[in-house]
Amino acid sequence: MKILVCISNVPDTTTKINFSADNKDLVTAGIQYIINPYDEIALTRALELTEASGGTVTVLNVGDPSTDPTIRKALAIGATDAVRINAAPRDAYFVAKQIASHAATGNYDLILTGRESIDYNGSQVAAMVGELLNIPSVSICKSLTVDGTNATLEREIEGGKEVITAPLPLVVSATEGMAEPRIPNMRGIMSARTKPLNVIEPVAVPQLTAIAGYDKPQSRSQVNLVDADKVDDLVNLLHTKAKVI
Amino acid sequence: MAQDRFQAPDYYLLDELLTDEHKLIRDTVRAWVKKEVSPIIEEACQKCEFPKHLVKGLAEIGAFGPYIPVEYGGGGLDQISYGLIMQELERGDSGLRSTASVQSSLVMYPIYTYGSEEQRKKYLPKLASGEWLGCFGLTEPDHGSNPNGMVTNIKDKGDHYVLNGAKMWISNAPFAQIAVVWAKDEEGVIRGLIVERGMKGFTTPETHGKWSLRASATGELVFDNVQVPKENLLPNVKGLKGPLGCLNSARFGISWGAIGAAMDCYDSALRYSKERKQFGRPIGGFQLQQKKLAEMITEITKAQLLTWRLGVLKNENRATPAQISMAKRNNVNMALEIAREARQIHGGMGITGEYPIMRHMMNLESVITYEGTHDIHLLITGMDVTGENAFS
């Protein structure tokens, strides 16, 4: 089985987010980057599948050279080789077009992504890749098994579980439960030094969106606690301060 | 212990001095400690139990012989990688770091550096994989800071040596499969031998009642007419420089390890100072608490710079024993002072197992004494700058 796992390079979950003075860019100084945690789940499941029945796992990242350490970590965890498409990931459509362009010639049985990246949380790329390649895509799966040329997927839905089958090739986005991410071992780190990391140039993609600006959430306002037996005070505050009645 | 929410301080952006591989190795060990060590270490210390199940994981993350060449099962890494691994392990617990230090610097290092090719091939792969654990016998009941006075001895009996004597304060002793032991021959020259568990007359009674390094097993090595085959003698070193070479390597690792313990105490104290409210606001807003925290991060940053530079020198084979002494002495004392200050910031909570502070503090009381005491390292620096020996 030949599996492509798409990984994003995202700020660590504990990062303190700051924007530039014009609110158009993220301030990246001092930020530690990691593999998008949902992508790591997808990578781990891909490794489990190929360890059980043979095959290769290629990781793909759309990014500039600064993402190489994140790709090397994926190789240390166990991926066979890597592809970096040498461009900043502008938006979901741009990324999906790059992935689809590479995958179209890669003859992959499975294309896995995380359910969303934890920086922009767009959750669009997997479905777009499926559409661009004209193959099925199933999003936010907590289980993935493969039997011959068919996959079985489980999704959590309101009040229950949905079981889906789909033929390969297939795009799947992963969420918690599909696999438990692994910590690389020293052998993996050492072998990652020499595993292939192929850098390819991006295909041209029209710019469909542009960032107008960023804002942080408004800080929460102060909570006024009113004694339960002072209803008049509560009504007065709602009227004069909150101005809702 | 409460959930491990550790975030490493990097006030001077020292990550920029590290390679991508250094950071990958460090982050890997950090993640392993969070996942495997933090959830169990407090209980292990409270019960005074060595968490044996972690040995396999220590081997997998490369904690055993990271700088030993790959052909002998080591990691083939540089000295800064070794230091970073020790830092992250001691962030979890000094006892765990001690186990890895002993295995790497006091057992694998002498076998690799002073051993024969046969000895390297026989022992190093098993030690790297964690199949065997080793220990190091230098300190004796009456000879600590003065190892040259040792009385443990070997006598040449033709096809073997007969070993007699006793060693104490030996990390890993109770369960080690082999011991690298230093003893005087009939001419009074210190020699190194590999003593294997099961050799007749060799016993390893455990040391009980410790208030420090409780998650690490400590014991004695007792040799009662032990017959040691001649092929177990380390052929390539004679004299005190043998064990001192090992200690140089271990002390280098300790200088990094102590930063790990200090970072954990600082991180916990910083978080606590923001969450704990008194007089209507977080205690981190009061000057006396800020003084403690500001001094902690200053000292940690200085220690980080010291060890990074020492690592560069060691990679270039230019780090002197006296430079390593300075780093070990400074950093362990720094960590112990920070643990004490952090304990105060945590108030009463600081004495409980909910926080790692008291455990680190008690561990560091050993670390400041073993591998050269705080005072002895001062005299090493003193001798180095004056040229005058003040030891005796």
Side-chain angles (χ1 to χ4, degrees):
Chain A
M1 189 158 29
K2 202 171 169 196
I3 305 177
L4 180 70
V5 180
C6 308
I7 61 171
S8 292
N9 181 56
V10 298
D12 190 10
T13 49
T14 57
T15 303
K16 287 178 185 149
I17 299 296
N18 286 304
F19 300 117
S20 58
D22 63 358
N23 278 350
K24 294 249 171 135
D25 292 298
L26 175 70
V27 176
T28 57
I31 289 182
Q32 188 174 0
Y33 284 87
I34 59 172
I35 302 176
N36 179 42
Y38 294 114
D39 301 343
E40 213 169 337
I41 293 170
L43 172 61
T44 311
R45 185 60 190 143
L47 294 170
E48 290 171 355
L49 289 171
T50 54
E51 283 161 5
S53 55
T56 60
V57 176
T58 299
V59 288
L60 180 151
N61 169 254
V62 180
D64 62 29
S66 71
T67 69
D68 282 354
T70 294
I71 298 171
R72 285 281 170 214
K73 183 179 177 189
L75 292 170
I77 290 170
T80 317
D81 58 6
V83 172
R84 178 168 62 77
I85 296 174
N86 191 24
R90 242 168 30 209
D91 60 17
Y93 181 67
F94 178 85
V95 171
K97 283 285 276 185
Q98 304 305 329
I99 295 170
S101 169
H102 169 76
T105 58
N107 204 24
Y108 293 104
D109 300 300
L110 266 175
I111 300 172
L112 303 185
T113 73
R115 62 177 287 173
E116 63 191 282
S117 61
I118 61 162
D119 49 3
Y120 292 96
N121 306 85
S123 208
Q124 301 173 70
V125 170
M128 284 185 182
V129 171
E131 183 65 19
L132 289 166
L133 293 172
N134 198 27
I135 59 175
S137 77
V138 185
S139 293
I140 316 179
C141 298
K142 59 180 296 182
S143 163
L144 160 64
T145 53
V146 176
D147 183 10
T149 56
N150 283 292
T152 303
L153 305 138
E154 288 183 11
R155 301 177 72 247
E156 217 162 65
I157 57 171
E158 186 74 31
K161 180 174 78 175
E162 183 181 51
V163 181
I164 296 171
T165 60
L168 305 182
L170 171 70
V171 182
V172 175
S173 79
T175 191
E176 291 103 330
M178 185 181 278
E180 181 70 24
R182 296 175 181 179
I183 296 170
N185 58 31
M186 188 54 61
R187 295 272 166 270
I189 291 172
M190 286 156 59
S191 66
R193 291 174 181 167
T194 52
K195 285 181 177 176
L197 195 173
N198 302 307
V199 180
I200 58 178
E201 292 306 310
V203 294
V205 176
Q207 182 146 6
L208 301 184
T209 66
I211 303 293
Y214 296 107
D215 273 314
K216 285 188 181 182
Q218 285 189 332
S219 55
R220 276 190 222 161
S221 55
Q222 189 95 24
V223 174
N224 287 318
L225 292 174
V226 180
D227 286 345
D229 56 354
K230 292 183 177 170
V231 178
D232 288 352
D233 289 356
L234 176 63
V235 171
N236 187 40
L237 281 171
L238 290 171
H239 179 62
T240 59
K241 202 163 180 186
K243 298 186 193 312
V244 292
I245 56 173
Chain B
M1 196 171 83
Q3 188 195 355
D4 185 352
R5 294 191 281 162
F6 176 71
Q7 283 182 261
D10 184 14
Y11 200 73
Y12 266 31
L13 307 180
L14 296 174
D15 265 17
E16 293 173 12
L17 299 175
L18 303 175
T19 66
D20 290 338
E21 190 170 88
H22 286 148
K23 286 183 272 194
L24 178 55
I25 290 164
R26 181 199 59 193
D27 295 348
T28 295
V29 181
R30 186 172 292 167
W32 182 81
V33 166
K34 275 197 178 188
K35 186 178 178 198
E36 303 290 341
V37 179
S38 298
I40 59 98
I41 195 64
E42 186 61 36
E43 189 179 347
C45 277
Q46 297 277 0
K47 291 182 176 173
C48 209
E49 288 175 354
F50 173 68
K52 278 186 186 164
H53 70 281
L54 294 180
V55 169
K56 186 168 177 285
L58 281 168
E60 284 177 357
I61 59 167
F64 295 152
Y67 53 77
I68 298 293
V70 176
E71 61 190 290
Y72 301 109
L77 302 173
D78 72 351
Q79 292 292 323
I80 291 177
S81 300
Y82 172 54
L84 289 166
I85 292 170
M86 296 300 111
Q87 172 187 293
E88 294 305 316
L89 290 180
E90 191 144 0
R91 209 280 298 173
D93 190 77
S94 303
L96 201 66
R97 197 270 305 139
S98 296
T99 295
S101 277
V102 169
Q103 184 87 338
S104 299
S105 287
L106 302 184
V107 181
M108 296 178 74
Y109 173 86
I111 293 173
Y112 173 70
T113 310
Y114 311 134
S116 65
E117 190 59 23
E118 291 72 27
Q119 289 169 341
R120 290 174 170 184
K121 284 180 178 158
K122 178 179 177 183
Y123 296 107
L124 292 177
K126 283 190 167 70
L127 292 163
S129 68
E131 185 183 339
W132 283 359
L133 279 181
C135 63
F136 175 85
L138 177 66
T139 298
E140 299 186 353
D142 294 325
H143 300 94
S145 294
N146 177 23
N148 213 21
M150 71 172 65
V151 293
T152 299
N153 62 86
I154 51 171
K155 291 198 165 48
D156 191 334
K157 295 291 180 183
D159 63 342
H160 65 273
Y161 295 104
V162 170
L163 173 66
N164 277 290
K167 303 287 183 180
M168 72 182 302
W169 305 122
I170 310 301
S171 294
N172 299 359
F175 46 76
Q177 278 79 13
I178 66 166
V180 171
V181 178
W182 301 93
K184 282 182 178 166
D185 66 14
E186 284 138 312
E187 283 77 47
V189 177
I190 293 174
R191 302 301 304 265
L193 303 104
I194 303 166
V195 181
E196 297 184 24
R197 185 172 293 282
M199 288 181 174
K200 196 176 171 196
F202 173 40
T203 52
T204 59
E206 185 162 358
T207 304
H208 295 288
K210 292 183 299 172
W211 284 110
S212 179
L213 299 180
R214 288 168 63 84
S216 162
T218 310
E220 298 171 47
L221 306 177
V222 180
F223 312 105
D224 180 11
N225 287 313
V226 181
Q227 293 188 14
V228 182
K230 284 212 160 167
E231 64 262 28
N232 283 31
L233 184 83
L234 296 174
N236 299 324
V237 73
K238 287 182 181 177
L240 198 57
K241 68 172 188 267
L244 292 185
C246 305
L247 292 175
N248 264 336
S249 179
R251 290 166 179 171
F252 170 77
I254 292 169
S255 72
W256 286 82
I259 296 175
M263 290 199 302
D264 204 34
C265 292
Y266 165 75
D267 177 63
S268 182
L270 179 62
R271 189 176 305 108
Y272 190 84
S273 76
K274 293 177 182 173
E275 293 172 356
R276 171 70 172 169
K277 289 183 179 169
Q278 288 291 283
F279 306 104
R281 61 193 177 108
I283 62 171
F286 294 104
Q287 288 185 349
L288 287 176
Q289 307 309 320
Q290 287 193 2
K291 176 179 185 291
K292 294 185 183 81
L293 292 163
E295 288 179 348
M296 284 183 196
I297 190 63
T298 305
E299 292 306 314
I300 287 171
T301 303
K302 285 154 66 179
Q304 286 172 323
L305 281 160
L306 188 74
T307 42
W308 176 80
R309 177 62 186 155
L310 188 66
V312 171
L313 290 173
K314 201 150 191 314
N315 278 342
E316 297 168 353
N317 280 324
R318 293 198 294 144
T320 66
Q323 286 170 334
I324 293 170
S325 279
M326 180 187 281
K328 191 268 184 184
R329 180 177 185 274
N330 179 80
N331 289 10
V332 177
N333 189 59
M334 172 277 300
L336 189 51
E337 293 292 331
I338 283 177
R340 289 171 179 157
E341 292 289 288
R343 218 287 305 145
Q344 293 210 44
I345 290 175
H346 285 77
M349 291 308 292
I351 68 162
T352 72
E354 282 291 299
Y355 295 89
I357 312 301
M358 201 77 184
R359 180 167 49 81
H360 282 309
M361 192 200 299
M362 294 196 299
N363 283 341
L364 288 162
E365 292 289 353
S366 288
V367 182
I368 203 167
T369 296
Y370 72 20
E371 309 254 4
T373 68
H374 189 63
D375 289 343
I376 288 291
H377 284 300
L378 185 79
L379 296 183
I380 291 171
T381 306
M383 185 171 72
D384 198 46
V385 296
T386 66
E388 299 286 343
N389 181 343
F391 289 94
S392 55

